[in-house]
Amino acid sequence: MSFSTKVKEEIGAHIGSARHCQIAELLALSMAIGEVVLHDDGVTFVLHPENDAIADKVCKLIELVFGTDVVYERHSKYIEIANQDMVDKLLSTIKLSDYVELLEEDWLDEDELSYMPENMITYVSSHGISLQHCRFPKQVIQKDCCKKSFIRGVFLAAGSVNDPNKAYHFEIVVQNREMAEVVRDVINGFSMDAKIVKRKKYYVVYLKEGSMIVDILNIMEAYVGLMDMENIRILKDMRNDINRRNNCDIANIKKTVSAARRQIEDIEYIEKTKGLKYLKDSLRVIAELRLEEPDANLTELGEMLNPPVSKSGVNHRLRKISSIAQTIRKENGDNTY
């Protein structure tokens, strides 16, 4: 089961206790997957849930808000409300009735209605008017709790979230820019930075920051999904920290090896041209030790001396040897270094 499916199953089982929150979530689901079908006798309300979990959520919300049972036609994958009084009550409750009347006028004239067959459900996809084309009723989500319920509903119906092991990406896909702007603004009202991008004929509201996706899971009350994602983020951060440390260690090793190679080249040059006796005793001892221990770091070299010398003391002596080697090269006109 995908991470997105787990999150949807979790929030699908959660329903707000307050009626106004239930209405807000029902509005979100209705606008995301609902449409009205016009016919001579009025309007039929149809919802197209993508799975049983969403269908069960819609049915439960309608039962809680209106005290009415609705049937989910599992074989046909739709929920139909044909009773005109119930349709009017539902659309009035989620504050879309006035806008649906405007859509009737704008979308279908009398000539178009005359061609519609009696069985409207068979032709939902070609004649249904998506509720996403309605003007959004902001009065339904005045409270923060209702805004959270709205986000939960619209994500359940039209959203997805990537497996955080692979990438951080949360999105909600809608049909038009006006609806996308509504979803974006509601999300951003919780101090987030959701953005909109057009993908073919759809509009996508998305978040890509891991911390913001954790916040939106918290807003939707997907607490199990939130904890799973936080655990993954912690492990990823630990792995990244280990990788950074390893990279730093490798870089330090390379620097140590490179410095040791230059020191040995300087010492060998002095030995070849002047002999190590040319160096004073303190420098000759460290030079001989460096030749014997080419892989040792400065601290280790200092500990091998008798008496021991600090890392900075060893570094000072090797720098002095390097300076002497450079002077000899100049005297000999040796520009090969």
Side-chain angles (χ1 to χ4, degrees), residues 175-242:
Q175 295 180 11
N176 57 64
R177 186 163 189 94
E178 290 74 18
M179 183 67 179
E181 288 174 350
V182 167
V183 174
R184 178 200 61 193
D185 292 346
V186 175
I187 291 174
N188 288 349
F190 292 96
S191 301
M192 280 182 272
D193 188 26
K195 300 184 184 302
I196 298 173
V197 65
K198 189 172 183 182
R199 184 186 297 162
K200 296 183 179 179
K201 62 179 181 179
Y202 298 102
Y203 289 84
V204 181
V205 182
Y206 69 92
L207 295 166
K208 295 193 77 68
E209 289 288 334
S211 59
M212 290 186 185
I213 296 174
V214 167
D215 288 343
I216 199 84
L217 291 175
N218 184 50
I219 286 168
M220 296 190 300
E221 299 183 76
Y223 300 126
V224 175
L226 183 156
M227 292 305 298
D228 288 344
M229 182 167 178
E230 282 288 57
N231 288 336
I232 291 169
R233 290 180 72 212
I234 290 169
L235 289 174
K236 288 176 76 172
D237 286 345
M238 288 175 62
R239 284 197 294 266
N240 290 338
D241 186 53
I242 290 170

Side-chain angles (χ1 to χ4, degrees), residues 59-73:
C59 293
K60 184 64 176 177
L61 285 169
I62 291 175
E63 179 186 353
L64 288 170
V65 174
F66 301 103
T68 303
D69 292 333
V70 293
V71 178
Y72 171 45
E73 300 291 345

Side-chain angles (χ1 to χ4, degrees), residues 61-103:
L61 285 169
I62 291 175
E63 179 186 353
L64 288 170
V65 174
F66 301 103
T68 303
D69 292 333
V70 293
V71 178
Y72 171 45
E73 300 291 345
R74 296 184 186 275
H75 63 285
S76 301
K77 301 295 183 183
Y78 67 78
I79 297 170
E80 173 194 358
I81 301 175
N83 180 283
Q84 195 60 55
D85 289 340
M86 183 59 199
V87 173
D88 291 342
K89 186 185 295 186
L90 190 153
L91 292 176
S92 176
T93 300
I94 60 177
K95 308 301 181 187
L96 289 181
S97 54
D98 292 343
Y99 306 138
V100 169
E101 290 175 6
L102 291 174
L103 285 175

Side-chain angles (χ1 to χ4, degrees), residues 116-333:
M116 285 192 177
E118 292 181 4
N119 185 0
M120 294 303 303
I121 299 306
T122 306
Y123 294 87
V124 163
S125 61
S126 59
H127 294 284
I129 301 172
S130 170
L131 293 180
Q132 288 188 30
H133 297 290
C134 291
R135 187 184 309 128
F136 186 76
K138 293 182 180 179
Q139 65 268 34
V140 178
I141 57 168
Q142 291 297 308
K143 298 181 178 181
D144 281 351
C145 57
C146 294
K147 292 175 183 178
K148 292 178 180 180
S149 296
F150 175 82
I151 294 171
R152 182 168 60 241
V154 76
F155 173 79
L156 182 62
S160 65
V161 58
N162 278 26
D163 181 347
N165 279 304
K166 299 176 181 177
Y168 296 140
H169 185 80
F170 171 99
E171 69 176 34
I172 294 171
V173 182
V174 296
Q175 295 180 11
N176 57 64
R177 186 163 189 94
E178 290 74 18
M179 183 67 179
E181 288 174 350
V182 167
V183 174
R184 178 200 61 193
D185 292 346
V186 175
I187 291 174
N188 288 349
F190 292 96
S191 301
M192 280 182 272
D193 188 26
K195 300 184 184 302
I196 298 173
V197 65
K198 189 172 183 182
R199 184 186 297 162
K200 296 183 179 179
K201 62 179 181 179
Y202 298 102
Y203 289 84
V204 181
V205 182
Y206 69 92
L207 295 166
K208 295 193 77 68
E209 289 288 334
S211 59
M212 290 186 185
I213 296 174
V214 167
D215 288 343
I216 199 84
L217 291 175
N218 184 50
I219 286 168
M220 296 190 300
E221 299 183 76
Y223 300 126
V224 175
L226 183 156
M227 292 305 298
D228 288 344
M229 182 167 178
E230 282 288 57
N231 288 336
I232 291 169
R233 290 180 72 212
I234 290 169
L235 289 174
K236 288 176 76 172
D237 286 345
M238 288 175 62
R239 284 197 294 266
N240 290 338
D241 186 53
I242 290 170
N243 287 337
R244 282 193 295 269
R245 291 188 181 188
N246 287 340
N247 291 338
C248 184
D249 289 343
I250 290 170
N252 287 337
I253 290 170
K254 287 182 177 178
K255 285 173 64 177
T256 300
V257 170
S258 178
R261 178 181 55 78
R262 290 195 302 272
Q263 292 159 6
I264 290 171
E265 288 177 353
D266 287 337
I267 293 167
E268 289 178 340
Y269 185 81
I270 294 172
E271 184 178 33
K272 181 177 68 174
T273 56
K274 299 284 190 177
L276 293 184
K277 290 183 178 181
Y278 180 75
L279 301 172
K280 65 180 183 179
D281 290 347
S282 60
L283 299 182
R284 179 176 53 78
V285 171
I286 196 67
E288 291 173 345
L289 186 58
R290 170 49 88 196
L291 293 177
E292 293 173 5
E293 302 289 344
D295 298 326
N297 58 39
L298 300 184
T299 301
E300 291 169 341
L301 288 175
E303 292 171 352
M304 295 175 190
L305 294 171
N306 187 17
V309 176
S310 66
K311 176 181 176 181
S312 60
V314 172
N315 186 51
H316 174 74
R317 295 183 188 187
L318 289 171
R319 284 181 177 273
K320 182 63 176 176
I321 292 172
S322 176
S323 177
I324 293 171
Q326 289 291 78
T327 300
I328 297 172
R329 286 189 178 95
K330 289 181 181 179
E331 291 175 354
N332 295 337

Side-chain angles (χ1 to χ4, degrees), residues 35-55:
E35 55 190 10
V36 291
V37 182
L38 312 180
H39 49 83
D40 292 336
D41 298 328
V43 174
T44 296
F45 184 59
V46 183
L47 298 105
H48 300 276
E50 70 174 17
N51 56 51
D52 292 352
I54 298 174

